[in-house]
Amino acid sequence: MITSTAVITAPHPVAGEEPEIDPAVLTVDVSQPYKEVDHAASGSLYGIGDEGWPPDEWIAPTSPKMFTQPPPGATHLPNGEPEPVGDTLDVWETASRNGATVTVRLPDIFPTFPYQWQGDDYWYTKVEEMVAAVQASGADNVYGYEIWNEPQWTWNDDWGSYFEMWDRTYRLIRELDPDTPIIGPSYDRDYEAGLREFMEHAVAGDTVPDIVSWHELGPVEGLNVGEHVAFYRALEEELGVEPRPISINEYGSPRDAGVPGWLARFVSRMERAEVDTANLAFWHKPGRLSDLLVPTGGGSGPATEPQPTGNYWLFKWYGEMTGDMVEVTPPTTTGRYIEIGEPVPAPSTRIPGQDGFGGAIGLGGDDPNTHVELPDGLVDGLGDFTVAAWVKPDANTQWSRIFDFGSGTENNMFLTVDDGTGLRFDLKVGGTVQQIASSAGTLPTGQWSHVAVVKTGDTGVLYVDGEPVGVNEAMTLSPADMGETTQNWIGESQYEADPLLDAAVDEFQIFGRGLTEAEVRSLTASPAGETGGGDVAWYPFEEAEGTTALDASGNGRDAVVGTATTGVEHIPALDGFASADPETDTAKVVFGGGEGDIRLDVQGLDSLNGFGRKANVQVFTTGWTGTDGVSEGPVPLFEGTYRVDGDGSISVPVQGLNETDAYYAVITPERKAPDFEGPVRRHEAEDAFPAHWLGEQDSPLASENGYIEGRPWADELLFTVDAPVAGAYDLGIRYTNDSAEAVTGDLGVNGEKTELAYEPTGSEFATAAVPLELREGRNWITVELDDIGVDYLEATPFSERLQAEGGEWAGAELVEVDMSEGNFFAPYFSEAAYVRGFEGEDSNLRLPVTVPAAGTYELTIGYSTAGTEEERRAQITSGHLLRVGDGEWQEVVYTPTQYRDMVGTTTVTVELPAGTSELTLAKSDPDRDDEPQPGTVDLDYIDVELAH
């Protein structure tokens, strides 16, 4: 089972005590360097497409350490490229100019992925040619030769022994090039079993790679790189192998691509594990530094004239780090979430089946049941067999399993609802896989279908509703060939990355023989049909409830129903990485992944000679713009002066984190502080009138570690706020209220007063927010101090996100994205939902929008486009018409995204009246006969912000 949570443990808990870890505190110790800054995780797979693709001016600021690229003469066409790209011989000089090395991925000599072997003679001849070409090129920045990629699933045992290929290729390279490192095995799963088997073989054969590589792609497991590195280091010691550099030459899952906060978490884990190099994974198009850049004009073509996504600035901040990497202690070092509370399994339920078939069990979705665990050895020894069941999918999520029996990823038999084209059965023993694919596609959702897999002799047949939909007449493998099966499930996969089944299941039966077609058809009429019922096991799910699923076969093979857990809160896992440079007396902290209010606890500043009693802190953020949305650059959040305690520490609270955004704190001595790059939005209470006479209260939770309380003779603070333009603003008052009840106080804006409520905070701080109207230039704002302490006032131009699914639409459909950790290929959309398919001339979306003041507003629309690869490469745009209320229509242009289900952004300007109005996006004006706007568009959100 995949788990999305992390157990919180302290590094050195006192015996008998429960560790106390604050999920909102990130501790940085500047006095504890552990290595020189080397930007280990700054590279990317296929990050360079060709000379000038992308230009050096975009590569250099990220300080890349290593790129993984195709070999000389590559025929590989990554993700549908019309021509091979990124050949090592074409890009090594670009990498070198930007301080990076290059890994030569040898199997990319093949055109497709997964690779298709073309025989031993072809491979070894090509290896000789590739190595000779590298040597002749003059390249002096080759990191190493990577022999194969993800062999656990891309190597087919029909081609011969993988280990024999490894040994022969290793020795051939060593004969041709004695000095350049050899890299492997580049596994992407089964770290412990796979690495152990590989390393034991390599040690015995004297073919241990010079650089040990693997991938960290799982949305959860990939974040546990520290545990994987520790396992590997222990394995080295056990086998007597000298420590090797570690290269995580692919990291990050598809959902993480383009999400700065989530990738900051990945980089933090890579740095803490002290890997030598790490590359952002390649999921989309080459030559973009793995989605850090997008071509001007969008689409899927070369990024020779690129623009930055929000993710770019995260890696630019990383590239700016100098000096030493220093110790950072996050709330957890594993997983995406922190589990707060005591987990309690949810009660297992049953649901009504179809008429005449009694009860059934619901798995996934809104049901508390997650899967059904069947007894060990359930299909051991079977030759001929039948597995049959009724299934009603709520979603045909790719690779989710109706059943999966086996002992792991090397030996298993499964039936998936969707392999990308439809229903499919696989039986795998070692490297040999035999399949039965359905010619009928996927099962219909929301209705019952009967499925059966039958093997008789060497013939396997897949049935749907009693009709054959797939046949394999060369099915020589049987369940008996798998050996002992210890992981037998309904609804779950042997592969951790695969999603759980989202469907109802009934009358799940296993027979120790192959049923005839007539017998299979009879099971669609009654539970046992003409078969007498499953003679190995039969689960009719007739229980009213409970975690035991009774076996009706008479064999006593009862199953156990797994359920989700309740009683816990999942807190997004805050993490970060930091550097300190004694030459510049500067500490830099990049952090993200957390949510809400957090605190940076920065220690050891006295180890940098330039720090005295005060430190300047400047904090910036970069937001999620999608993989295809253009970012205008980092947003300056605030600047503050913090007292350095006697032990060299400061406490910096940062409010309102979004887990998808990344943040950057630059800490310098006050006297060396650089100019703050942004507008002043934060106004400290200590600078308001008459704070000087009221006296400052100390708190590590307050901005600049101080706040103001009222006195009997002064119960109001006066702030001066300069607004760049007139219009609507979001006003936030950071306060503390240690009483047991909410209190109210007057808020005055240029002489007009309103009442604001302040909820209890205990010893903490909270933000009271209100939208209001400010005039251009100077504004006078008063805050009543009765019963509260005030930390600061923050005035930012009004901003609100409208989710597309929050409106009304015609001619399109709602899509809710399954973001469970098992749904490996889930794309990221705001709030995990969007409205898909605005294409027809009558299709439209209507969204209410409310603003506190009339004015000019920018609408940033998050969208995705359909279209062919040719249209995307040609940058063919799509469009909408937009209007406010019954006003004039204006055109909205959408540049193409790389693929559908990838988010880009476009911006338009509108005039909005005060109060509530309606935004309409339509393909055509119903009052005109003009051609509708081109293309098919999916809509995710609209950000409404005061133009300034």
Side-chain angles (χ1 to χ4, degrees), residues 305-317:
E305 296 181 5
Q307 295 176 288
T309 65
N311 219 26
Y312 179 82
W313 308 107
L314 164 66
F315 285 86
K316 181 177 183 294
W317 294 338

Side-chain angles (χ1 to χ4, degrees), residues 358-693:
I361 190 166
L363 301 177
D366 295 330
D367 293 292
N369 312 302
T370 57
H371 68 293
V372 182
E373 183 175 348
L374 309 185
D376 291 354
L378 189 67
V379 295
D380 292 3
L382 291 183
D384 292 355
F385 71 91
T386 299
V387 180
W390 284 100
V391 182
K392 184 172 75 170
D394 287 327
N396 285 306
T397 309
Q398 189 171 358
W399 296 120
S400 63
R401 305 290 205 256
I402 295 174
F403 68 84
D404 195 332
F405 304 155
S407 57
T409 57
E410 291 302 305
N411 297 288
N412 56 72
M413 53 184 276
F414 68 78
L415 179 63
T416 178
V417 296
D418 186 13
D419 69 347
T421 59
L423 203 65
R424 191 179 93 191
F425 172 76
D426 277 24
L427 202 164
K428 178 182 181 183
V429 177
T432 302
V433 181
Q434 296 179 350
Q435 301 175 342
I436 313 173
S438 170
S439 60
T442 57
L443 301 177
T445 58
Q447 69 182 60
W448 287 100
S449 298
H450 189 268
V451 297
V453 179
V454 178
K455 180 180 184 296
T456 306
D458 289 345
T459 299
V461 183
L462 179 61
Y463 292 88
V464 174
D465 292 330
E467 300 296 327
V469 295
V471 178
N472 182 343
E473 295 180 343
M475 183 156 275
T476 57
L477 294 176
S478 68
D481 296 317
M482 296 191 296
E484 183 181 6
T485 58
T486 56
Q487 299 179 163
N488 303 314
W489 297 309
I490 301 171
E492 188 174 356
S493 169
Q494 309 288 333
Y495 294 85
E496 291 185 345
D498 291 337
L500 296 172
L501 182 66
D502 185 3
V505 178
D506 196 11
E507 304 299 343
F508 190 94
Q509 305 186 57
I510 304 173
F511 299 81
R513 62 187 179 89
L515 299 183
T516 66
E517 184 173 328
E519 287 177 313
V520 170
R521 191 172 293 118
S522 75
L523 292 174
T524 68
S526 64
E530 299 171 1
T531 70
D535 57 358
V536 175
W538 179 4
Y539 303 101
F541 301 110
E542 296 300 330
E543 314 83 24
E545 59 185 14
T547 57
T548 299
L550 297 174
D551 175 17
S553 72
N555 294 321
R557 292 170 170 154
D558 295 347
V560 177
V561 180
T563 64
T565 57
T566 61
V568 297
E569 182 182 4
H570 295 90
I571 307 294
L574 173 68
D575 214 330
F577 53 98
S579 67
D581 191 337
E583 292 189 9
T584 62
D585 292 325
T586 302
K588 297 175 178 178
V589 186
V590 175
F591 55 102
E595 186 82 25
D597 298 345
I598 67 103
R599 189 173 83 250
L600 298 180
D601 183 2
V602 184
Q603 304 170 354
L605 289 174
D606 53 354
S607 66
L608 300 177
N609 292 329
F611 278 90
R613 299 181 61 185
K614 293 184 178 181
N616 176 269
V617 179
Q618 299 182 5
V619 178
F620 308 84
T621 186
T622 182
W624 170 72
T625 61
T627 53
D628 290 50
V630 176
S631 168
E632 295 181 357
V635 176
L637 289 181
F638 66 87
E639 175 187 34
T641 300
Y642 291 79
R643 294 186 296 274
V644 179
D645 291 342
D647 60 358
S649 65
I650 61 174
S651 175
V652 183
V654 185
Q655 291 79 40
L657 263 66
N658 186 325
E659 74 163 299
T660 59
D661 299 345
Y663 300 82
Y664 184 39
V666 180
I667 306 167
T668 59
E670 183 187 30
R671 59 186 174 81
K672 292 186 177 182
D675 292 336
F676 188 54
E677 299 175 4
V680 176
R681 297 178 174 180
R682 177 171 295 188
H683 304 268
E684 296 290 342
E686 300 93 307
D687 298 329
F689 179 82
H692 179 74
W693 288 277

Side-chain angles (χ1 to χ4, degrees), residues 590-824:
V590 175
F591 55 102
E595 186 82 25
D597 298 345
I598 67 103
R599 189 173 83 250
L600 298 180
D601 183 2
V602 184
Q603 304 170 354
L605 289 174
D606 53 354
S607 66
L608 300 177
N609 292 329
F611 278 90
R613 299 181 61 185
K614 293 184 178 181
N616 176 269
V617 179
Q618 299 182 5
V619 178
F620 308 84
T621 186
T622 182
W624 170 72
T625 61
T627 53
D628 290 50
V630 176
S631 168
E632 295 181 357
V635 176
L637 289 181
F638 66 87
E639 175 187 34
T641 300
Y642 291 79
R643 294 186 296 274
V644 179
D645 291 342
D647 60 358
S649 65
I650 61 174
S651 175
V652 183
V654 185
Q655 291 79 40
L657 263 66
N658 186 325
E659 74 163 299
T660 59
D661 299 345
Y663 300 82
Y664 184 39
V666 180
I667 306 167
T668 59
E670 183 187 30
R671 59 186 174 81
K672 292 186 177 182
D675 292 336
F676 188 54
E677 299 175 4
V680 176
R681 297 178 174 180
R682 177 171 295 188
H683 304 268
E684 296 290 342
E686 300 93 307
D687 298 329
F689 179 82
H692 179 74
W693 288 277
L694 295 177
E696 181 180 336
Q697 307 298 310
D698 294 334
S699 172
L701 305 181
S703 176
E704 298 195 357
N705 303 143
Y707 66 100
I708 300 297
E709 289 183 339
R711 295 288 187 269
W713 47 270
D715 64 354
E716 187 176 78
L717 285 177
L718 173 63
F719 293 84
T720 303
V721 176
D722 288 327
V725 296
Y729 284 77
D730 290 318
L731 188 71
I733 299 171
R734 193 71 176 171
Y735 73 94
T736 181
N737 171 13
D738 60 7
S739 69
E741 299 179 353
V743 299
T744 58
D746 285 341
L747 172 69
V749 179
N750 298 322
E752 296 187 10
K753 292 196 174 184
T754 187
E755 197 171 72
L756 195 60
Y758 302 95
E759 297 295 327
T761 65
S763 60
E764 307 285 328
F765 285 76
T767 302
V770 59
L772 47 74
E773 184 174 1
L774 297 180
R775 62 196 180 199
E776 183 178 358
R778 181 156 296 182
N779 293 264
W780 306 97
I781 298 178
T782 58
V783 178
E784 189 176 356
L785 286 174
D786 278 354
D787 301 316
I788 64 168
V790 176
D791 183 9
Y792 62 79
L793 179 151
E794 202 160 64
T796 58
F798 176 87
S799 179
E800 182 181 11
R801 171 159 294 183
L802 309 176
Q803 297 294 148
E805 63 272 19
E808 296 180 350
W809 58 86
E813 62 177 351
L814 173 67
V815 176
E816 295 178 305
V817 182
D818 174 15
M819 293 299 290
S820 64
E821 306 301 345
N823 190 11
F824 181 78

